[in-house]
Amino acid sequence: MLLHYSSLIMILCFQPFISLVHAAQNDLIFTLSLQKPLRNYQAMIRAERVNPKSRWFDDQPSHGETMMVELGLQLPKKGSIRYRNYTIRGIHQGEASQYSCTGILGCFWTSGSIQDNLTSDESIAYELKNNELWVEHDFQFHHPFTTTIAPAVGINLLPATLSILGSGQHESKQATLPIPFIGLRISTPISEQITLTGEIHQFQYDNSRWGLQFRNLQAGIRIPIADQITLSVGYVSYRMNIQYHRNNTHAGLDLPMNSPFIKISTQF
């Protein structure tokens, strides 16, 4: 936490140098933002095999926190390129069990594994490195009040790692998911000092083998606090839901993050 706030202080300290660069470059405007959710997120993991019938019991869902860093380049003619980076990770403690039936004892769950080469599953760890890159273009409307609307199109390059550990054994899966998305940003000043802002990035796809839903929705107010520095407060609703179905195996990661946030931005 101390590291996060130190980063915010660094922006304020370097503001005089940023202003000099801004004076020398009139056509291109660079932006830097640091955003901190104020509430931890909690993910849920589901995994089940049909034959033999095995299921992961998520006894201790993970809690985590993240920091979002955003870079932007505002181009002439109201265009811009933006990049946002943040990592979401967690470790879930639980147990995988197999369902079996006998004529004398009936049906019950016994310790097992959702992986063929593991004797038991004691924890599942995940790491999602979000790299949102998008382009957008501003359109301004002045009636009945001034509003900026910016449609966006982009891609989230998502290196993902899933690790299963049990009884001293380890199984890891890695993949990079290129997630395209469309989006929209809206801003409306309601006074000389306060601007209402909203933004959404969205993608959803489903078929018989896998499905994915990605959403990053943010809304808040932006207030200038110094020359070329603004403070934003609001609410972020992030959702990553990944479903997988293959060879009688059904697995899913549902990761919602709904939290107030604080954000500091500068441009140069």
Side-chain angles (χ1 to χ4, degrees), residues 56-217:
W56 164 262
F57 289 91
D58 197 352
D59 297 328
Q60 299 181 29
S62 174
H63 297 265
E65 61 180 33
T66 187
M67 184 76 169
M68 296 183 179
V69 179
E70 183 177 317
L71 302 174
L73 173 60
Q74 297 183 14
L75 305 174
K77 299 182 179 181
K78 300 181 180 180
S80 62
I81 302 174
R82 299 183 183 274
Y83 169 74
R84 181 184 295 148
N85 174 267
Y86 52 102
T87 299
I88 296 179
R89 60 172 62 92
I91 300 178
H92 291 236
Q93 303 294 328
E95 184 182 30
S97 299
Q98 293 185 0
Y99 191 74
S100 58
C101 297
T102 63
I104 299 177
L105 300 178
C107 300
F108 51 90
W109 290 95
T110 59
S111 297
S113 173
I114 57 175
Q115 292 289 102
D116 291 330
N117 56 334
L118 294 183
T119 58
S120 65
D121 298 328
E122 298 171 358
S123 67
I124 295 180
Y126 66 88
E127 182 178 73
L128 305 177
K129 298 180 179 180
N130 292 261
N131 296 276
E132 295 181 44
L133 177 66
W134 71 97
V135 294
E136 59 184 28
H137 189 278
D138 290 354
F139 296 92
Q140 286 192 337
F141 302 88
H142 299 285
H143 300 285
F145 42 79
T146 300
T147 301
T148 300
I149 298 178
V153 60
I155 188 170
N156 185 359
L157 295 176
L158 186 75
T161 302
L162 182 68
S163 300
I164 303 175
L165 300 90
S167 300
Q169 299 169 294
H170 177 260
E171 181 77 13
S172 181
K173 305 289 185 181
Q174 295 180 337
T176 298
L177 306 177
I179 305 174
F181 62 82
I182 58 175
L184 187 70
R185 177 176 54 82
I186 300 176
S187 62
T188 302
I190 59 176
S191 70
E192 293 183 358
Q193 297 294 320
I194 301 176
T195 300
L196 293 178
T197 63
E199 180 185 78
I200 184 171
H201 293 167
Q202 174 78 33
F203 174 78
Q204 186 166 346
Y205 177 80
D206 291 287
N207 66 16
S208 59
R209 291 183 56 181
W210 65 280
L212 187 147
Q213 180 189 22
F214 164 68
R215 183 191 68 225
N216 194 339
L217 171 64

Side-chain angles (χ1 to χ4, degrees), residues 204-259:
Q204 186 166 346
Y205 177 80
D206 291 287
N207 66 16
S208 59
R209 291 183 56 181
W210 65 280
L212 187 147
Q213 180 189 22
F214 164 68
R215 183 191 68 225
N216 194 339
L217 171 64
Q218 303 188 26
I221 60 173
R222 184 174 66 240
I223 304 170
I225 58 175
D227 185 28
Q228 306 298 336
I229 296 180
T230 60
L231 175 69
S232 300
V233 293
Y235 196 81
V236 56
S237 177
Y238 171 92
R239 180 74 178 272
M240 182 68 70
N241 184 283
I242 303 173
Q243 302 291 331
Y244 175 79
H245 311 278
R246 187 179 181 185
N247 297 334
N248 295 322
T249 299
H250 308 281
L253 170 65
D254 188 16
L255 203 163
M257 177 175 63
N258 302 295
S259 170

